[in-house]
Amino acid sequence: MNRILIKNAKIVNEGTIFEGDVLIENDLIVEIADSISLKTSDCIVIDAEGNYLMPGAIDDQVHFREPGLTHKGDIESESRAAVAGGITSFIEQPNTVPNAVTQEILEDKYQIASQKSFANYSFMMGATNDNLEEVLKTNPKNVAGIKIFLGSSTGNMLVDNEAVLEKIFSSTPMLIAVHCEDETTIKNNLAAFKEQYGDDVPVTAHNLIRSAEACYISSSKAVALAKRTGARLHIFHLSTAKEMELFTNKIPLEEKKITAEVCVHHLWFTDEDYKTKGNFIKWNPAVKTADDRAELWKALNDGRIDVIATDHAPHTKEEKMQSYLNAPSGGPLVQHAVVAMFEAHHQGKISVEKIVEKMCHNPAKLFKIEKRGFIREGYHADLVIVNPSLPWSVKPENILYKCGWSPFEGYTFKSRITHTFVNGELVYNNFKVKDTRAGKRLLFDR
């Protein structure tokens, strides 16, 4: 029997922080108490030394690029970076190559992950204008949900047929996650900038091309459609102040039919950063203004936004260093997301309890993930120890992403992940990832 006793931790769970010990047996948490005494011969003892012990973070939106785009990243490399960053479970998106728009292709991704993943995994089923039959075959017990791109993406994944959208929303009981940007608005904005600049459109125009208006038009339509059909809707990577009026904090998360996510980059950067970071902070939806960022923080803290995620989407440096119009959108974030939120805590923007609520508890509740996202007896031992005062700088030699770069490069974080457990296995320790692929397929209570 594999037994690990974590001593002297500040346990962060369900809105409280308390000092105590946690006992792990095999893959489960079996005891949580003020003090647990066992012979050292009976278990491995890890002294948390008064540092925070939190559930492993659950990232509900990543792009790990496998199959088909593995020069940018793959399930092995990016899940390794995730566990180093305190993310123990991820939900990956369908715009790989080929797109995961049939049950067979979707299952192929699960097979790859079962061999390669350091973290627990699930994969979204992709919707298109013509695969409703395949979408409806999706098993709600072992697939996270259905992903719809209402803005352009890799491959044939833009769903712009109103009748098809209506059918998907009204016929699937599963959670529908959407990327919301209005394609017509973006095309018109881009045409105007091309008329002014030709092929030399500056990256500083990105948030004006993929504008707040484009986001709001699309997300408000999605919310209206969900209300009309009764669909279970989750809107990914919200980026504007205006969109915050679409969401409520008046009812508990468990009762919400429409939920909201914000990503680390929209909480961290603003349009001013395009001048120094350029294409390396080019994301879709675009990073917007300081006022937008301030309202996102407000909505996150007051409960209108339910989840913090990454939209981790690596591209090579060479791809990013092309001209604005040719450089792809997206960037790597899983290794630095949790410590970035602890940095925001040091800045007085969010409590540690709220970080755990938004990165651990709420993704588990929202997707109804079985026995994860909390520190509870009988739950899977996905756990992370965070030292809040162990500064470290992001440098090329400690970046684990296959693409080899980070938008945080050169930044010194005040907090550091010291230990990560996945299903009771210590997969990250002494700032090194062990060669232990402990990830399991996520299951769902539905």
Side-chain angles (χ1 to χ4, degrees), residues 51-57 80-88 334-342 355 359 383-392 413-421 426-433:
N51 293 316
Y52 293 114
L53 178 68
M54 58 180 270
R80 182 190 283 114
V83 297
I87 291 169
T88 57
V334 288
Q335 188 183 348
H336 304 104
V338 173
V339 290
M341 288 301 98
F342 269 83
I355 292 170
M359 298 189 87
L383 298 165
V384 175
I385 299 174
V386 183
N387 185 330
S389 50
L390 186 61
W392 66 291
F413 288 110
K414 291 185 175 69
S415 307
R416 192 160 193 179
I417 311 292
T418 61
H419 301 72
T420 303
F421 302 84
L426 181 58
V427 297
Y428 178 75
N429 185 25
N430 291 326
F431 316 121
K432 287 188 172 63
V433 181

Side-chain angles (χ1 to χ4, degrees), residues 246-294:
L246 298 170
F247 304 99
T248 184
N249 56 7
K250 304 297 184 200
I251 55 175
L253 176 59
E254 293 86 344
E255 294 173 25
K256 287 186 182 181
K257 293 278 280 184
I258 298 167
T259 51
E261 175 214 89
V262 68
C263 289
V264 170
H265 46 284
H266 292 121
L267 294 170
W268 188 279
F269 299 103
T270 74
D271 58 339
E272 287 297 311
D273 294 308
Y274 290 121
K275 294 169 188 169
T276 53
K277 297 278 186 182
N279 293 328
F280 290 98
I281 62 159
K282 182 187 177 189
W283 278 280
N284 299 341
V287 167
K288 305 293 197 302
T289 68
D291 287 345
D292 288 304
R293 181 178 64 179

Side-chain angles (χ1 to χ4, degrees), residues 12-17 52 54-55 249 262 267 296-308 338 341-342 344-345 348-363:
V12 190
N13 192 57
E14 300 182 75
T16 63
I17 300 175
Y52 293 114
M54 58 180 270
N249 56 7
V262 68
L267 294 170
L296 293 174
W297 273 113
K298 188 177 173 187
L300 180 68
N301 277 300
D302 73 21
R304 285 172 288 163
I305 292 178
D306 306 292
V307 168
I308 301 169
V338 173
M341 288 301 98
F342 269 83
H345 164 66
K349 293 178 181 174
I350 190 169
S351 68
V352 173
E353 298 94 320
K354 190 72 75 175
I355 292 170
V356 169
E357 178 191 330
K358 303 294 183 177
M359 298 189 87
C360 312
H361 301 339
N362 284 3

Side-chain angles (χ1 to χ4, degrees), residues 149-155 157-158 179 181 183 186 210 284:
F149 288 91
L150 302 178
S152 59
S153 127
T154 306
M157 296 212 67
L158 174 63
H179 173 136
E181 290 183 286
E183 203 66 14
I186 292 166
R210 303 190 81 96
N284 299 341

Side-chain angles (χ1 to χ4, degrees), residues 211-245:
S211 62
E213 182 193 20
C215 294
Y216 183 78
I217 289 169
S218 183
S219 52
S220 58
K221 273 187 188 173
V223 167
L225 181 57
K227 285 180 176 176
R228 191 166 73 245
T229 58
R232 172 66 187 88
L233 177 68
H234 183 52
I235 301 190
F236 278 157
H237 46 42
L238 289 150
S239 62
T240 74
K242 176 80 170 157
E243 288 170 295
M244 295 306 98
E245 69 190 42

